[in-house]
Amino acid sequence: MAKLLHAAPGEGLAYRTYIRTVKGRNNITLTTLEHMAQAFGLSIADFLAGQADIETWARRLDANSIRARLAQIINTQRTQRDLFCYQMAKLLGVSEATFTKLQRGTGNVSVDTIAAVANVLGRNPATFLFCNDDC
């Protein structure tokens, strides 16, 4: 835990964030998850997927790569479903502003939002970002 909390400013986790996360009172973002995974010597994919079998390439994904994959999945699904952005946002249960960030792969998306997107798309929330096909 010391490595997690005692990093240079802006590189680690604030003690408050750590405590809120441990107590289950924090909606963990990809940035926080990336810090935690690094502190434990894990990839983000391993941290999220747990014991699930994931491809080797997925273990190399950082937070920015995951945002880009999520954006790709969302944009593909929106196109396949022939939906406008506001309709896809409503389907996913997010505001249009949040959808715009998701669609562009920007912002600090939360793990809860990723799970909600996966559930709406009928995919496994822990692994759908780390596979090449529909899983």
Side-chain angles (χ1 to χ4, degrees), residues 65-84:
S65 302
I66 292 171
R67 285 183 198 93
R69 286 189 61 75
L70 182 61
Q72 177 189 18
I73 291 167
I74 288 171
N75 288 321
T76 299
Q77 287 292 315
R78 187 179 74 78
T79 301
Q80 288 176 352
R81 296 168 188 234
D82 197 28
L83 296 174
F84 291 108

Side-chain angles (χ1 to χ4, degrees), residues 51-113:
Q51 299 298 319
D53 187 29
I54 55 175
E55 300 285 333
T56 302
W57 61 264
R59 289 182 170 84
R60 294 187 295 268
L61 296 175
D62 63 6
N64 289 329
S65 302
I66 292 171
R67 285 183 198 93
R69 286 189 61 75
L70 182 61
Q72 177 189 18
I73 291 167
I74 288 171
N75 288 321
T76 299
Q77 287 292 315
R78 187 179 74 78
T79 301
Q80 288 176 352
R81 296 168 188 234
D82 197 28
L83 296 174
F84 291 108
C85 290
Y86 77 90
Q87 292 171 313
M88 191 68 175
K90 185 175 181 178
L91 177 68
L92 297 176
V94 298
S95 69
E96 289 183 52
T98 298
F99 178 75
T100 299
K101 290 178 184 177
L102 291 172
Q103 183 182 37
R104 293 180 182 165
T106 61
N108 197 6
V109 62
S110 72
V111 174
D112 288 350
T113 299

Side-chain angles (χ1 to χ4, degrees), residues 10 13 28-36 44 63 67 107-109:
L13 219 65
I28 299 173
T29 63
L30 273 177
T31 301
T32 299
L33 188 67
E34 188 170 43
H35 289 301
M36 294 175 81
I44 295 173
R67 285 183 198 93
N108 197 6
V109 62

